[in-house]
């Protein structure tokens, strides 16, 4: 009897929660919060608006770009600076525009997610420290080489910048002194990891004129509209962190003239549990219809929208526009004629054409002049500027390419479903890539979302068939090298420099390393020496 009572209480609680977390309540809450996001973006209209994936993507109709800062990297006693998620495009964009605004949200009980209260502050601090170290090195090298008087002015500027460059850890006031001290103790180690990752700090230092610094804004923040400072007036490059939802510790019932509904703080989180295959893009294309449909008709309206979109894409082969990152000469190549241009050089100083308004239909990213591109399954219908396709999605497509050897379908499951699916397919993937790249063909590698499996396959191809300078050599460099996890991480940083939406999972990265090392990853955690003097382990690939 007691067990039945407990069970019935549990069922009642679950039933109440389901009623509160309906899709209409979620969408209506998101819509209301988006009004606040729009108001904040209008305070600094010159600053680009970025969504922190995936939750933040729901909270506005149009974003300039996206980023990926995980809350788990900021959890207490689990702080980390992950070189697999450097988000350098955010820093470059902030440097060009004078700052940026990042949107995210969190469930009830918190004003800000840990991604905003700790992960991003750690990220800005580590980048600032790396830039300061770079500026100091530039100054030291200039002094040793005894540059001419004409360059002494630049040397003095670099020296002054390195001295005045703010490298302090800026955290919100509610973070305890104990937690702050623990994070500060790890900053030097994280800075060394960033230096060892091979990230292009020199280009970043040239792009940023002032150090990065986070600012926090929520619906409880008081802002005097007649005293809003211009972003150029600050002595730092602002990363404005906007928590979209209203923080509350209890359920709020809100009413309109027609309906009553339950407000859900952080409604955009965990979309798999409520969205019913509705995407942020679909929602904003039909926002007014969905909101006006009311609680009773919303479910059917969502089902109709999702089905119509599925049929529309199927009839058109999921055709979508492609985005090409064009390779350019290195900024200082004229000053160093002997410097050979890398196939992976990127003109970060002109992101006006490359970083256009964010669109979910963005299909592919070219990795410089390497003839490699990664993309989503939608890119499979867009064959312009592509000679061959490596399809890692579960579904095949019908392509009319002249060469029958120009298409290979390797259905690959995620590591959560099959721990060895990617590992089994990598030999065939590399063989196919070598066959086509050796003929100078342009290869597109795509998967369902263009974020995980396709990125990992591209990583394996990049290491197996290209030398450390990014030149295709058919595997000569790889056959003479011992690939470590640090070397693999460097190549991943290179891919993320172009494919800014890349989010490879730890399980798939472990399979790539297993393939490259010629065997399976041992269940025991192995440690490898790092160039920073520390070590790395299997735990680092996440």
């Amino acid at each position: 009897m007691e067990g039945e009572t407990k069970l019935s209480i549990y069922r009642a609680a679950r039933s109440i929660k389901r009623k509160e977390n309906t899709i209409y309540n979620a969408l209506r809450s998101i819509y209301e919060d988006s009004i606040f996001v729009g108001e904040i973006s209008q305070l600094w209209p010159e600053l680009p608006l970025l969504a922190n994936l995936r939750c933040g993507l729901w909270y506005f109709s149009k974003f300039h770009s996206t980023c990926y800062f995980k809350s788990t990297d900021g959890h207490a006693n689990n702080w980390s600076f992950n070189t697999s998620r450097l988000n350098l495009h955010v820093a470059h964009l902030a440097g060009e525009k004078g700052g940026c605004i990042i949107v995210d949200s969190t469930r009830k009980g918190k004003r800000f997610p840990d991604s905003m209260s700790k992960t991003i502050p750690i990220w800005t601090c580590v980048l600032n420290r790396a830039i300061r170290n770079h500026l100091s090195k530039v100054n030291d090298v200039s002094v040793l080489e005894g540059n001419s008087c004409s360059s002494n002015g630049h040397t003095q500027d670099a020296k002054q910048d390195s001295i005045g460059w703010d490298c302090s850890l800026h955290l919100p006031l509610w973070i305890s002194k104990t937690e702050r001290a623990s994070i500060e103790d790890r900053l030097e180690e994280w800075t060394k990891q960033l230096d060892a990752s091979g990230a292009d700090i020199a280009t970043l230092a040239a792009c940023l004129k002032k150090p990065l610094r986070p600012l926090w804004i929520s619906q409880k923040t008081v802002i005097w509209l007649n005293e809003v400072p211009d972003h150029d007036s600050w002595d730092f490059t602002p990363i404005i962190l906007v928590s979209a939802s209203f923080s509350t510790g209890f359920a709020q019932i809100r009413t309109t003239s027609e309906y009553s509904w339950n407000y859900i703080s952080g409604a955009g989180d965990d979309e798999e549990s409520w969205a019913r295959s509705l995407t942020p893009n679909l929602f904003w294309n039909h926002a007014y219809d969905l909101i006006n449909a009311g609680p009773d008709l919303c479910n059917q309206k969502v089902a109709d929208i999702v089905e119509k979109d599925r049929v529309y894409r199927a009839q058109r082969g999921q055709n979508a526009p492609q985005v090409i990152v064009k390779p350019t000469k290195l900024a200082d190549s004229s000053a160093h004629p002997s410097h050979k241009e890398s196939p992976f050089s990127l003109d970060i100083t002109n992101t006006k054409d490359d970083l256009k308004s964010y669109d979910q239909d963005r299909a592919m990213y070219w990795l410089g002049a390497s003839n490699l591109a990664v993309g989503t399954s939608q890119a499979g219908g867009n064959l312009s500027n592509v000679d061959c396709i490596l399809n890692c999605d579960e579904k095949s497509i019908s392509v009319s390419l002249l060469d029958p050897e120009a298409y290979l379908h390797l259905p690959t499951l995620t590591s959560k479903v099959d721990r060895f699916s990617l590992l089994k397919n990598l030999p065939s993937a590399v063989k196919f890539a070598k066959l086509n790249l050796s003929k100078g063909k342009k290869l597109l590698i795509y998967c369902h979302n263009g974020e995980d499996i396709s990125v990992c396959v591209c990583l394996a191809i990049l290491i197996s068939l290209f030398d450390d300078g990014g030149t295709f050599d058919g595997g000569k460099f790889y056959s003479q090298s011992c690939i470590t996890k640090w070397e693999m991480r460097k190549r991943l940083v290179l891919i993320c420099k172009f494919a800014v939406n890349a989010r490879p999972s730890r399980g798939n990265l472990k399979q790539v390393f297993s393939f490259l090392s010629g065997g399976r990853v041992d269940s025991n955690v192995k440690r490898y020496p790092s160039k920073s003097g520390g070590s790395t382990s299997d735990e680092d690939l996440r």
Side-chain angles (χ1 to χ4, degrees):
M1 186 68 181
E2 184 180 352
E4 293 179 2
T5 304
K6 288 183 178 179
L7 188 61
S8 62
I9 293 174
Y10 173 77
R11 286 179 175 174
R14 294 290 294 175
S15 176
I16 294 172
K17 187 174 181 180
R18 279 197 298 270
K19 288 180 180 179
E20 291 179 352
N21 294 344
T22 63
I23 191 168
Y24 182 80
N25 288 341
L27 296 178
R28 187 63 189 251
S29 302
I30 289 170
Y31 183 79
E32 295 293 323
D33 291 337
S34 71
I35 298 173
F36 168 70
V37 173
E39 291 173 347
I40 297 300
S41 67
Q42 287 304 307
L43 296 180
W44 296 280
E46 303 87 1
L47 299 185
L49 192 66
L50 282 70
N52 192 32
L53 296 174
R54 290 176 303 167
C55 179
L57 198 55
W58 287 93
Y59 285 93
F60 205 63
S61 57
K62 200 70 175 178
F63 285 98
H64 191 99
S65 185
T66 64
C67 54
Y68 186 45
F69 294 98
K70 290 191 71 172
S71 287
T72 52
D73 291 338
H75 286 175
N77 299 316
N78 192 45
W79 315 283
S80 65
F81 178 84
N82 202 308
T83 53
S84 298
R85 296 184 286 271
L86 283 180
N87 291 288
L88 291 183
H89 66 288
V90 178
H92 286 299
L93 191 59
E96 181 198 351
K97 303 294 185 179
C100 67
I101 303 172
I102 299 178
V103 177
D104 202 354
S105 185
T106 187
R107 291 289 183 177
K108 61 184 180 181
K110 282 185 175 182
R111 286 180 62 187
F112 292 87
D114 284 343
S115 60
M116 288 185 162
S117 60
K118 283 171 280 188
T119 303
I120 295 179
I122 289 172
W123 173 79
T124 58
C125 182
V126 172
L127 289 189
N128 284 336
R129 291 167 66 96
I131 291 172
R132 181 196 60 185
N133 293 344
H134 170 77
L135 294 174
S136 297
K137 290 177 183 176
V138 169
N139 176 54
D140 293 341
V141 170
S142 298
V143 171
L144 289 174
E145 292 180 351
N147 285 351
S148 63
C149 296
S150 61
S151 63
N152 281 342
H154 174 74
T155 303
Q156 289 298 325
D157 291 340
K159 182 177 180 180
Q160 194 65 34
D161 287 342
S162 64
I163 294 174
W165 199 265
D166 181 17
C167 296
S168 304
L169 176 64
H170 295 280
L171 293 171
L173 296 176
W174 58 85
I175 302 300
S176 67
K177 293 181 179 179
T178 302
E179 189 168 7
R180 171 187 288 273
S182 298
I183 294 174
E184 287 176 337
D185 289 342
R186 293 165 169 80
L187 291 174
E188 184 63 28
E189 175 189 351
W190 291 332
T191 305
K192 290 179 179 178
Q193 289 179 5
L194 176 59
D195 291 337
S197 71
D200 189 358
I201 303 300
T203 305
L204 184 60
C207 179
L208 279 170
K209 304 305 179 186
K210 295 181 284 188
L212 299 167
R213 181 170 176 177
L215 300 174
W216 296 269
I217 296 178
S218 72
Q219 292 200 31
K220 292 184 177 180
T221 303
V222 177
I223 300 176
W224 300 102
L225 297 181
N226 60 337
E227 297 181 3
V228 176
D230 188 85
H231 67 276
D232 287 332
S233 66
W234 288 315
D235 59 355
F236 54 85
T237 302
I239 306 295
I240 300 174
L241 308 178
V242 178
S243 183
S245 295
F246 183 80
S247 59
T248 175
F250 52 89
Q252 283 189 345
I253 298 178
R254 300 187 181 183
T255 59
T256 64
S257 58
E258 298 179 81
Y259 313 111
S260 63
W261 49 284
N262 290 313
Y263 175 78
I264 302 174
S265 181
D269 194 18
D270 192 22
E271 61 189 54
E272 291 87 354
S273 65
W274 61 268
R276 302 186 178 212
S277 300
L278 187 72
T279 64
N281 196 38
L282 279 178
F283 167 61
W284 285 108
N285 287 340
H286 303 86
Y288 295 106
D289 292 339
L290 288 168
I291 297 302
N292 293 329
D296 296 333
L297 300 178
C298 185
N299 285 6
Q300 185 58 48
K301 193 75 175 176
V302 168
D304 293 343
I305 290 172
V306 170
E307 178 61 18
K308 287 180 181 178
D309 180 70
R310 185 192 67 80
V311 173
Y312 175 86
R313 291 188 178 278
Q315 290 175 344
R316 287 155 183 78
Q318 294 189 328
N319 191 23
Q322 64 176 319
V323 172
I324 301 177
V325 180
K326 299 178 181 179
T328 60
K329 293 184 178 181
L330 294 174
D332 59 347
S333 59
S334 60
H336 303 278
S338 61
H339 184 83
K340 184 179 179 181
E341 181 183 346
S342 168
F344 295 102
S345 60
L346 173 66
D347 184 7
I348 299 295
T349 60
N350 184 19
T351 56
K352 188 173 183 179
D353 296 325
D354 295 330
L355 290 173
K356 296 181 180 178
S357 293
Y358 176 78
D359 190 335
Q360 274 201 322
D361 289 336
R362 178 174 289 185
M364 70 176 81
Y365 294 91
W366 287 98
L367 306 187
S370 65
N371 285 345
L372 285 173
V374 294
T376 69
S377 56
Q378 298 168 16
N382 188 355
L383 305 182
S384 61
N385 209 30
V386 171
D387 300 317
C388 47
I389 293 177
L390 176 53
N391 177 7
C392 301
D393 197 6
E394 294 182 42
K395 299 179 181 179
S396 183
I397 61 171
S398 57
V399 291
S400 55
L401 296 172
L402 295 177
D403 189 351
E405 295 182 345
Y407 176 77
L408 178 63
H409 181 213
L410 293 174
T412 307
L413 303 175
T414 64
S415 58
K416 291 184 178 180
V417 178
D418 186 344
R419 291 189 301 148
F420 303 108
S421 178
L422 178 61
L423 184 61
K424 296 172 190 173
N425 287 330
L426 282 178
S428 300
V430 173
K431 182 179 179 181
F432 175 79
K434 183 176 181 179
L435 175 66
N436 288 280
L437 291 174
S438 61
K439 300 176 182 177
K441 294 184 177 181
K442 296 180 179 180
L443 171 63
L444 167 65
I445 308 161
Y446 78 83
C447 63
H448 173 67
N449 56 18
E451 299 173 354
D452 186 5
I453 294 174
S454 59
V455 172
C456 289
V457 172
C458 183
L459 177 63
I461 291 172
L462 193 62
I463 296 176
S464 300
L465 302 178
F466 290 74
D467 63 20
D468 59 348
T471 302
F472 177 80
D473 66 358
K476 293 180 181 178
F477 178 81
Y478 170 67
S479 63
Q480 300 170 2
S481 306
C482 179
I483 302 300
T484 65
K485 290 184 179 179
W486 272 107
E487 179 63 30
M488 193 172 101
R489 178 166 294 187
K490 283 184 177 181
R491 302 295 182 99
L492 180 58
V493 168
L494 185 61
I495 293 175
C496 294
K497 178 179 178 180
F498 297 91
V500 296
N501 285 355
R503 296 190 292 166
S505 64
R506 181 187 170 207
N508 283 336
L509 287 175
K510 289 181 72 174
Q511 291 181 71
V512 172
F513 182 74
S514 178
F515 166 74
L516 295 172
S517 59
R520 292 190 174 185
V521 178
D522 191 82
S523 58
N524 298 320
V525 176
K526 299 179 181 178
R527 304 202 69 83
Y528 302 85
S530 73
K531 293 186 178 181
S532 61
S535 61
T536 184
S537 69
D538 290 337
E539 296 296 325
D540 295 323
L541 293 180
R542 57 193 176 103

